[in-house]
Amino acid sequence: MSETKIRYICALEPEFPEKLKNIPNAPDGIYVRGCLPDPGKKTVSIIGSRNNSEYGRGAAEYFARGLAKHGVQIVSGMARGIDGISQSTALKSGGSSFGILGCGIDVVYPEENRLLYERILEKGGLISEYPPGTPPRAALFPQRNRIISALSDVLLVVEARQRSGTSITVRFALEQGRDIFAVPGRITDPLSYGCNTLIADGAGIATCPEDILEALGLIQGGRNKHRKLNLNKFSGLSETQLKIIRCLDYNPVSINEIASKTGCDLSDLMLELLKLQLLGCIENAGQGFYILKLEVNGDGSR
Amino acid sequence: MFSSVHSMSLHGINVREVSVEADVSEGGLPVFEMVGFLGSEIKESRGRIRTALKNSGFFLPPKRITVNLSPADQRKSGSHYDLPVAVSLLTAMGLILPEMLSDTVIAGELSLSGKVLSVKGILPMVLHSRKNGYKRFILPLENAEEGGAAPGIEVIGVQSLRETLELLTGERKPEPVHIDISELLKRRQRHSHDFCSIRGQRAAKRAVEVSASGMHNILLVGPPGGGKSMMAKCLPSILPALTEEECMEITGIHSIAGILGSGVVTERPFISPHHTVSSQALSGGGSIPKPGDISLAHRGVLFLDELPEFDTSTLEILRQPLEDREIHISRASGNYTYPADFLLAAAMNPCKCGYYPGQRCTCGETGVKKYLSRISRPLLDRIDIVSYVDEISFDELNDDSVKEESSETIRARVTEAFEIQKKRFQESKIRFNSEMTGDDIRLFCPLGDKEEELLRESFKALSLSARGYHRILRTARTIADLDHSDNINCAHLSEAISYRITGKGIWDV
């Protein structure tokens, strides 16, 4: 990791990102490892709760994958939860991603994202306005959020509680005039409260990556195209498999419940569940729970 | 006059011969001394023996009395020397003829009234005596049923010192006790927990059945109140009945540990230590170690409820016994090897609140990770099957129309799977599918083209680790055995994979 050099780019240098210059309280300069976002490409930041639900993970992966496939750069804060999930997924799907840190650029925080820190340097970069060696301090994180929002064309909120760091980023984005999208959730779910409120306040509804791609001007009429494909997603499945699909949801359902709902023989059920997983229709959420997989264009790839 | 009586001493689960010598002689001051590297409970026995003799009608003469327990370089402990010492004294006093004591071993504790009380470790002592060619074993009546299980030696239970004397002088006719274990084991066992009392939970029940069939260690995960502990408690009821050999083995260990009531063990042990258990209690401890919980669970089930609450360093102890099926304990007094061949069953909540990944969970992914990180990885690596025990709905609980399968029916299937494995492994050292190593797996778990394809795809799509590979095949072998199938087919394989990926998040699949 230490092989990649740390550069300091002053706000006066031509290399300094244009988007960062014209915001209130712009940084004087930034430390960079890897490369800077390509100004010629669209950039979306995907942010959300550090303590996400299974639904949030699915949604973050779904959007990051869908956007990365269209060459959109994903920016986020390298934190636990939604941030890390969307960045890892973007990299895995062949896209590029940029991490904005609230600590020194050579500090890995949180530890569990160490792999992401290494991978991101290959296909993106790390950016921080704090000098190397700065330890992660709670006071620094809200400030770095202005850089996250500033670098993006669209800010996508995946899961957020009523009061969260995400709302700070949203406020910065509004100040900076960026578009805001939120992934809707159940009205009873505290983790979706923030998102649903944003939508109520006028943010765009993100139900599929095409919604965002359309807002970015990358595709036209994306929604309808997507819907058509979605209908075909389960064609070619057997009767039993469809029966299983019908009792699944985007929230985890346990194998016991599937068994009693479908009335299938257990051994058959496990075989079919495995086949459906291999087809990419469903996903194992761990501990015997299964969820429907949010899929880009129904192509079954991971 | 000098006399000698045979008895046995316990060193861990090993038994050694001891001769109890007594000498009553004139000259010098009257004294009653006991020598021979004795533990304090034996030194104290002087008072007990003197009083017991008095209350049985014999007075120790005011002479120089010396009792020696030989060999003198081995430390002796336990309360079973009272009776042999008393008999040895009576012989030295000339009340019993020395010939009556040849080929006879004696063990028992005395109360002040002269009553003979039960002692620990009788069965191993009797078995050892038989091996060494003794013909007769006199022991407390309360232990007669236990000792009587050993064939080929005359076991006589006595109630009092008086009775022992009458027996040894020929005034009383001996009534040897013999217990026919095979008869005892054949008798239908009534288990306190039966699967028919668990409603629903089809998937988990099946997982437990597979676990029992191949002795695969199992982890039950689920919200509180789902019936994880109940399910584990039912495990012994579906494991095949004990064989005579196993019965003797378990009875011996339990007898030494002092947890044997009367008679022999006829049910597979179910040991469930509390999560505050110390490492010594789990592995076996003491200067001459007593068998720990893992040895008490030998040939049965060791159940760890609330797995994440256990001290990690305590659980690390299980690693070696789970591989070797025995535990080696080294102490200043020597090295001891105790058997520890058990089925490990563990239960835990999926997260702190217990409802992950259901919608009621308030922990979130990070909270779950933190909770799970408390469990020892190497221990989890030794678990083949993970199953989720769901919360039970009111309708299921209240539905009397469904007749649940009884343990007896499941046990019949498990026993058949045991038989298949017995045949398969008759020429090798292992006994169960779960013990198969790489070479065995290659030999006994060949896959067809279709199955290989399925496994390859699953590995790719579900990002399974190489570590999971062998576990999946081992489990698949057991599932095929339950199905009486020689070959592993796709259904068997996918069930095994399902048990593996259920552990996603708990281990790195």
Side-chain angles (χ1 to χ4, degrees):
Chain A
M1 184 170 172
S2 53
E3 282 164 30
T4 327
K5 263 198 256 158
I6 301 172
R7 290 173 293 153
Y8 180 74
I9 300 171
C10 163
L12 301 172
E13 287 179 62
E15 221 188 320
F16 193 81
E18 199 64 34
K19 282 177 180 161
L20 278 185
K21 281 183 188 162
N22 308 318
I23 58 165
N25 193 13
D28 302 330
I30 47 173
Y31 295 88
V32 181
R33 288 181 69 184
C35 47
L36 282 166
D38 181 353
K41 282 186 184 168
K42 295 289 181 192
T43 310
V44 170
S45 38
I46 303 182
I47 57 167
S49 175
R50 273 169 304 186
N51 205 355
N52 58 290
S53 72
E54 202 55 50
Y55 170 73
R57 165 180 287 277
E61 285 178 356
Y62 175 51
F63 281 97
R65 201 161 45 222
L67 292 172
K69 280 193 176 158
H70 278 84
V72 176
Q73 313 177 104
I74 306 295
V75 171
S76 198
M78 302 289 282
R80 269 188 206 111
I82 300 298
D83 284 19
I85 292 167
S86 37
Q87 292 189 283
S88 309
T89 314
L91 293 173
K92 260 185 234 161
S93 322
S96 55
S97 181
F98 300 87
I100 319 300
L101 306 180
C103 52
I105 204 155
D106 52 348
V107 179
V108 176
Y109 178 84
E111 189 58 40
E112 61 193 69
N113 279 346
R114 180 170 284 277
L115 193 68
L116 175 59
Y117 269 80
E118 284 168 22
R119 279 218 190 121
I120 204 165
L121 293 178
E122 293 162 18
K123 294 259 259 352
L126 294 171
I127 299 168
S128 171
E129 61 175 317
Y130 305 110
T134 310
R137 278 205 305 268
L140 299 182
F141 286 91
Q143 277 309 306
R144 67 95 199 252
N145 287 354
R146 78 185 194 285
I147 302 182
I148 295 182
S149 58
L151 282 175
S152 58
D153 297 301
V154 165
L155 181 76
L156 173 64
V157 184
V158 172
E159 256 187 343
R161 287 177 191 275
Q162 188 173 4
R163 298 179 49 174
S164 66
T166 309
S167 59
I168 300 172
T169 319
V170 168
R171 215 172 49 234
F172 283 129
L174 287 173
E175 276 174 28
Q176 296 158 355
R178 307 289 189 250
D179 277 348
I180 295 165
F181 275 78
V183 177
R186 293 181 184 234
I187 54 172
T188 50
D189 192 344
L191 265 170
S192 285
Y193 186 92
C195 289
N196 290 340
T197 313
L198 279 175
I199 293 168
D201 290 346
I205 296 190
T207 59
C208 57
E210 283 74 7
D211 287 340
I212 314 246
L213 290 169
E214 208 178 351
L216 290 169
L218 291 174
I219 55 167
Q220 253 130 41
R223 265 189 86 70
N224 295 331
K225 203 169 140 206
H226 172 72
R227 277 205 174 144
K228 230 188 289 168
L229 278 168
N230 204 3
L231 283 179
N232 293 332
K233 187 172 164 186
F234 300 128
S235 65
L237 295 187
S238 73
E239 197 50 49
T240 337
Q241 287 173 334
L242 284 174
K243 218 158 63 180
I244 296 171
I245 293 278
R246 272 196 286 274
C247 58
L248 283 177
D249 191 347
Y250 291 104
N251 282 304
V253 183
S254 82
I255 194 163
N256 254 322
E257 214 173 319
I258 305 172
S260 60
K261 272 188 190 163
T262 57
C264 281
D265 177 61
L266 260 181
S267 152
D268 287 347
L269 180 63
M270 290 196 228
L271 180 62
E272 296 305 332
L273 282 173
L274 182 65
K275 280 186 184 163
L276 284 170
Q277 282 179 81
L278 296 182
L279 287 170
C281 296
I282 64 169
E283 225 174 348
N284 167 34
Q287 317 190 352
F289 279 73
Y290 291 87
I291 50 174
L292 280 183
K293 192 169 173 180
L294 288 160
E295 199 43 73
V296 184
N297 295 340
D299 60 2
S301 63
R302 280 173 73 88
Chain B
M1 201 175 127
F2 164 80
S3 73
S4 171
V5 168
H6 303 290
S7 190
M8 296 287 158
S9 73
L10 290 170
H11 291 264
I13 60 165
N14 302 319
V15 183
R16 290 180 196 149
E17 265 192 72
V18 167
S19 30
V20 179
E21 301 166 340
D23 180 78
V24 180
S25 53
E26 307 280 345
L29 287 170
V31 71
F32 179 12
E33 72 178 341
M34 283 179 77
V35 293
F37 204 0
L38 307 178
S40 50
E41 68 271 41
I42 308 182
K43 284 184 193 147
E44 284 170 357
S45 73
R46 271 181 300 183
R48 277 201 299 274
I49 294 165
R50 186 199 298 274
T51 317
L53 281 169
K54 188 208 89 184
N55 287 335
S56 304
F58 312 104
F59 286 91
L60 280 179
K63 291 179 183 169
R64 189 167 189 91
I65 301 171
T66 312
V67 171
N68 175 36
L69 271 59
S70 126
D73 63 338
Q74 278 169 17
R75 189 169 175 82
K76 291 155 204 85
S77 58
S79 59
H80 62 276
Y81 297 107
D82 293 5
L83 189 62
V85 170
V87 170
S88 193
L89 284 171
L90 290 174
T91 315
M93 285 153 64
L95 294 170
I96 299 170
L97 291 173
E99 304 86 83
M100 296 298 285
L101 295 169
S102 62
D103 293 337
T104 302
V105 182
I106 304 176
E109 181 181 326
L110 284 175
S111 85
L112 294 187
S113 64
K115 206 173 155 244
V116 178
L117 304 175
S118 69
V119 293
K120 292 178 197 170
I122 280 296
L123 186 62
M125 290 192 223
V126 177
L127 288 172
H128 189 76
S129 309
R130 185 196 58 179
K131 208 175 87 193
N132 287 10
Y134 290 99
K135 303 260 161 50
R136 189 159 65 152
F137 201 115
I138 298 178
L139 43 69
L141 190 65
E142 283 173 61
N143 293 122
E145 227 179 298
E146 177 192 343
I153 183 166
E154 195 173 298
V155 170
I156 302 160
V158 288
Q159 271 178 300
S160 66
L161 184 56
R162 222 340 126 189
E163 198 183 319
T164 317
L165 179 77
E166 287 167 5
L167 200 69
L168 289 168
T169 50
E171 285 169 50
R172 182 186 280 265
K173 239 187 89 201
E175 289 165 23
V177 181
H178 180 69
I179 307 294
D180 188 356
I181 311 182
S182 59
E183 199 58 41
L184 211 60
L185 291 174
K186 251 182 253 159
R187 231 180 282 162
R188 218 144 170 254
Q189 303 294 326
R190 271 191 62 84
H191 291 277
S192 39
H193 296 88
D194 196 295
F195 265 110
C196 67
S197 54
I198 301 178
R199 299 283 172 87
Q201 310 287 18
R202 277 168 62 201
K205 275 184 181 171
R206 167 73 182 174
V208 170
E209 180 180 336
V210 173
S211 149
S213 301
M215 290 300 256
H216 297 283
N217 298 328
I218 185 171
L219 173 64
L220 298 167
V221 188
K228 302 183 290 292
S229 314
M230 181 74 176
M231 194 94 63
K233 279 178 192 151
C234 290
L235 253 171
S237 70
I238 61 166
L239 284 167
L242 287 174
T243 63
E244 278 178 54
E245 201 185 325
E246 287 174 327
C247 165
M248 297 282 239
E249 219 178 345
I250 303 171
T251 307
I253 299 168
H254 285 213
S255 173
I256 284 162
I259 59 164
L260 187 74
S262 63
V264 292
V265 180
T266 52
E267 230 183 284
R268 288 193 186 266
F270 179 84
I271 305 291
S272 172
H274 187 251
H275 59 71
T276 52
V277 66
S278 70
S279 41
Q280 281 78 12
L282 203 60
S283 65
S287 59
I288 293 175
K290 267 175 66 170
D293 282 339
I294 57 169
S295 299
L296 297 180
H298 183 58
R299 305 278 185 224
V301 179
L302 179 72
F303 178 52
L304 305 177
D305 204 356
E306 308 297 350
L307 187 66
E309 305 301 329
F310 279 83
D311 187 21
T312 328
S313 58
T314 308
L315 288 183
E316 300 295 323
I317 284 172
L318 293 174
R319 286 161 61 175
Q320 179 247 339
L322 278 172
E323 294 292 318
D324 302 345
R325 286 157 217 292
E326 56 189 19
I327 183 158
H328 310 286
I329 304 172
S330 299
R331 291 286 184 273
S333 56
N335 296 322
Y336 300 85
T337 299
Y338 294 163
D341 187 1
F342 54 87
L343 173 68
L344 176 70
M348 60 183 273
N349 292 341
C351 60
K352 209 171 165 196
C353 75
Y355 296 104
Y356 180 84
Q359 282 177 63
R360 278 166 69 191
C361 176
T362 54
C363 301
E365 249 185 50
T366 330
V368 176
K369 264 191 200 149
K370 207 167 134 196
Y371 183 76
L372 295 179
S373 66
R374 285 194 230 165
I375 323 164
S376 140
R377 298 275 116 186
L379 181 70
L380 288 176
D381 265 341
R382 287 163 174 82
I383 290 176
D384 287 353
I385 296 178
V386 177
S387 183
Y388 189 84
V389 182
D390 226 337
E391 249 182 310
I392 194 155
S393 68
F394 180 78
D395 290 341
E396 267 178 307
L397 208 58
N398 213 24
D399 185 5
D400 284 327
S401 63
V402 188
K403 190 96 182 76
E404 296 291 347
E405 231 176 354
S406 76
S407 289
E408 205 59 42
T409 329
I410 304 174
R411 178 184 245 183
R413 290 198 295 266
V414 175
T415 310
E416 279 169 22
F418 263 52
E419 288 302 319
I420 294 172
Q421 291 170 72
K422 202 168 155 191
K423 218 184 265 169
R424 173 177 307 135
F425 300 125
Q426 59 190 357
E427 274 160 27
S428 73
K429 271 196 293 187
I430 58 175
R431 300 189 308 147
F432 300 109
N433 290 338
S434 54
E435 296 169 39
M436 287 196 285
T437 52
D439 288 339
D440 303 316
I441 291 175
R442 229 161 290 138
L443 190 63
F444 297 120
C445 309
L447 293 182
D449 290 342
K450 237 169 62 195
E451 288 76 27
E452 200 139 330
E453 176 72 24
L454 180 75
L455 192 60
R456 191 178 310 119
E457 272 185 42
S458 309
F459 258 77
K460 221 168 68 191
L462 309 175
S463 45
L464 299 175
S465 72
R467 211 176 255 163
Y469 179 80
H470 284 149
R471 301 203 172 260
I472 288 173
L473 285 179
R474 274 189 283 224
T475 317
R477 182 66 262 172
T478 303
I479 297 166
D481 287 347
L482 272 172
D483 204 15
H484 295 277
S485 159
D486 284 339
N487 296 315
I488 297 174
N489 67 27
C490 283
H492 305 147
L493 206 55
S494 61
E495 189 175 340
I497 293 174
S498 159
Y499 293 137
R500 182 74 193 166
I501 57 176
T502 301
K504 184 181 149 184
I506 297 178
W507 56 48
D508 324 310
V509 184

